[in-house]
Amino acid sequence: MKTHKNLFLFVFGIFILSIFSVFTYYIKNGEFVKWSHSWVTKDNEIFFEQKTPIYLGYSLDWNGIGKPVIKDILFLKEDGTDIKEEKDQIEIIPFIIDEDFGSMFYEVDATEEGVVERLRPVENYKVTNEKLEIVLKVQLKDNNWDEDIAKMVIEYKNLGIRRKQTIHFDGIIDKDS
């Protein structure tokens, strides 16, 4: 009788461990996938000469279980430097919008069309759909800024576990224009 009880506990333990392993696997394998990209062209006088902010849109999908809560979105240069360290040269503020954004708005148009009012901060944003629209408010402050962004880092929490995902980012300036 004692042998059956030990066997039952052993099998039950393996069952619980298996469920925990599968659960952990799916949590860790959830990811954001960027499937659209927007650029500003080099001949855009409003952005480069007048230094007027623009809003650029990027579409992402959440592929995984759970409803992640985004804590922050960072942008890094090729050497790993956070773009926030260059705020004298360029300022990038990420937002989320709960609708299809498109690719680009100038600040005056975004304000007149009510887009700015519908932008939400990324901090503590709970992803409720598989589709997600990230909007960057970008303002060039120094025309000598010749760097560009190589990586987008999304810091988030999913099912109580803190995660960080790095996504390749093709920059904000179309180098072929």
Side-chain angles (χ1 to χ4, degrees):
M1 187 74 124
K2 192 172 188 178
T3 307
H4 292 296
K5 184 176 180 182
N6 288 342
L7 181 61
F8 172 76
L9 290 175
F10 177 73
V11 171
F12 183 71
I14 289 178
F15 176 73
I16 295 297
L17 186 61
S18 298
I19 288 175
F20 179 75
S21 297
V22 168
F23 182 72
T24 303
Y25 172 80
Y26 280 108
I27 289 174
K28 289 187 175 184
N29 283 324
E31 67 177 352
F32 292 95
V33 177
K34 183 173 71 73
W35 57 270
S36 77
H37 198 86
S38 301
W39 293 276
V40 61
T41 58
K42 291 179 183 178
D43 62 350
N44 189 316
E45 290 183 24
I46 293 173
F47 179 72
F48 287 102
E49 302 304 321
Q50 298 174 18
K51 299 197 179 32
T52 300
I54 59 170
Y55 293 83
L56 298 172
Y58 304 88
S59 297
L60 283 81
D61 284 341
W62 166 247
N63 295 331
I65 64 168
K67 305 266 188 226
V69 176
I70 296 176
K71 295 300 182 182
D72 201 2
I73 298 178
L74 309 170
F75 296 91
L76 307 178
K77 296 188 321 184
E78 191 67 47
D79 66 2
T81 305
D82 189 337
I83 206 72
K84 288 179 185 175
E85 294 179 24
E86 297 191 350
K87 61 184 171 196
D88 298 347
Q89 296 179 318
I90 192 167
E91 183 178 40
I92 300 173
I93 303 170
F95 294 96
I96 294 175
I97 194 163
D98 292 326
E99 59 195 59
D100 185 31
F101 177 79
S103 60
M104 185 181 93
F105 277 93
Y106 293 110
E107 185 170 52
V108 66
D109 298 328
T111 302
E112 285 177 5
E113 294 184 30
V115 173
V116 173
E117 294 173 7
R118 295 189 304 270
L119 295 175
R120 302 174 70 182
V122 297
E123 186 176 356
N124 294 319
Y125 179 84
K126 185 172 186 174
V127 177
T128 56
N129 298 317
E130 290 179 1
K131 304 261 184 252
L132 183 65
E133 291 285 324
I134 304 291
V135 176
L136 304 183
K137 178 181 179 184
V138 182
Q139 183 174 16
L140 186 65
K141 296 182 176 185
D142 182 354
N143 279 348
N144 293 324
W145 185 76
D146 62 350
E147 302 289 332
D148 214 344
I149 301 163
K151 298 172 187 163
M152 174 171 59
V153 179
I154 301 176
E155 296 176 348
Y156 64 98
K157 198 171 189 178
N158 189 27
L159 300 171
I161 298 174
R162 283 194 158 277
R163 304 276 301 148
K164 185 185 291 190
Q165 181 183 344
T166 302
I167 298 172
H168 174 75
F169 197 83
D170 293 320
I172 58 166
I173 300 170
D174 183 0
K175 299 197 186 315
D176 296 329
S177 62

